[in-house]
């Protein structure tokens, strides 16, 4: 019996260490930028009125959310289609990324804002603020709209829905 317990300790301890390292390895630092950010934004700008061309398979359990063929900084977009509106949302989730002091998120948002301004130009008006939504909680945001119209729009929400950051591209016909 003592031999059995001794052998179990030899097996269980390495397994515990392996799973704890595996759990920590799943989250990576929030990116502050990515090399193809402007290229992806140019692709979206060119295709804003036809965002549904990036639509792939329906997400499991949904009737209006789809996977997309677009990614930003390694995050795959999710498309929501409802009526004449189409959104592609890039969710930088807490389960995938970490930012212990918020500095990485701040750097990412600032770099993303610079890229949006470089690609979409002065035709898009930037607004910012803070919101406290009953469903999504408190967040800060930057929003870009074309010629002060509501759509098309680009919105950066951070933190949002218990995640680090969501980036939304919204188009309405």
């Amino acid at each position: 019996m003592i031999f059995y317990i001794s052998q179990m300790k030899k097996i269980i301890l390495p397994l515990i260490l392996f799973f704890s390292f595996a759990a920590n390895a799943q989250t990576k630092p929030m990116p502050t930028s990515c090399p193809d950010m402007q290229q992806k934004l140019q692709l979206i700008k060119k295709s804003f009125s036809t965002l549904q061309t990036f639509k792939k398979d329906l997400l499991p359990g949904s009737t209006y959310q789809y996977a997309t063929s677009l990614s930003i900084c390694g995050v795959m977009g999710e498309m929501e289609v409802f009526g004449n509106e189409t959104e592609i949302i890039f969710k930088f989730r807490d389960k995938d990324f970490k930012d212990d002091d918020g500095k990485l998120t701040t750097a990412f948002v600032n770099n993303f804002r610079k890229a949006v301004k470089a690609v979409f130009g002065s035709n898009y008006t930037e607004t910012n603020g803070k919101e406290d939504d009953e469903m999504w909680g408190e967040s800060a945001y930057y929003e870009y709209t074309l010629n002060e119209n509501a759509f098309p729009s680009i919105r950066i929400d951070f933190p949002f829905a218990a995640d680090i950051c969501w980036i939304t591209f919204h188009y309405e016909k």
Side-chain angles (χ1 to χ4, degrees):
M1 182 72 156
I2 294 175
F3 175 75
Y4 178 74
I5 292 173
S6 172
Q7 293 298 356
M8 289 300 292
K9 285 181 184 179
K10 289 179 183 178
I11 294 172
I12 291 176
L13 184 58
L15 280 176
I16 291 172
L17 290 173
F18 171 78
F19 286 118
S20 68
F21 287 131
N24 288 336
Q26 291 176 355
T27 59
K28 51 191 170 258
M30 178 72 179
T32 57
S33 186
C34 51
D36 63 348
M37 187 181 296
Q38 284 195 350
Q39 178 186 4
K40 296 290 176 82
L41 290 174
Q42 288 170 346
L43 179 61
I44 291 170
K45 179 182 180 184
K46 185 176 116 182
S47 308
F48 227 141
S49 63
T50 57
L51 287 175
Q52 289 196 30
T53 59
F54 301 112
K55 183 169 70 171
K56 290 177 71 178
D57 300 329
L58 195 61
L59 293 175
S62 179
T63 59
Y64 66 96
Q65 293 177 314
Y66 298 85
T68 70
S69 58
L70 283 175
S71 68
I72 291 180
C73 296
V75 173
M76 291 303 297
E78 296 176 9
M79 181 177 291
E80 294 184 3
V81 179
F82 36 95
N84 292 330
E85 297 181 45
T86 304
E87 286 185 348
I88 295 181
I89 306 168
F90 298 90
K91 299 175 181 178
F92 292 81
R93 300 177 193 264
D94 262 353
K95 69 179 185 176
D96 301 320
F97 298 100
K98 63 181 176 179
D99 183 8
D100 297 331
D101 59 7
K103 291 179 182 176
L104 297 175
T105 301
T106 300
F108 174 79
V109 168
N110 288 335
N111 287 330
F112 192 81
R113 289 176 57 219
K114 288 176 191 172
V116 166
K117 290 175 185 178
V119 171
F120 289 88
S122 61
N123 290 344
Y124 280 73
T125 304
E126 179 186 75
T127 57
N128 68 313
K130 294 185 181 217
E131 291 183 338
D132 188 6
D133 185 89
E134 186 176 308
M135 182 174 177
W136 301 111
E138 290 183 33
S139 66
Y141 70 89
Y142 288 95
E143 187 165 33
Y144 301 86
T145 53
L146 182 61
N147 298 322
E148 299 184 26
N149 291 326
F151 303 108
S153 69
I154 304 162
R155 185 168 167 121
I156 309 164
D157 289 287
F158 58 100
F160 194 70
D163 290 325
I164 294 175
C165 177
W166 284 20
I167 299 171
T168 306
F169 296 88
H170 190 143
Y171 184 79
E172 182 176 341
K173 292 181 184 178

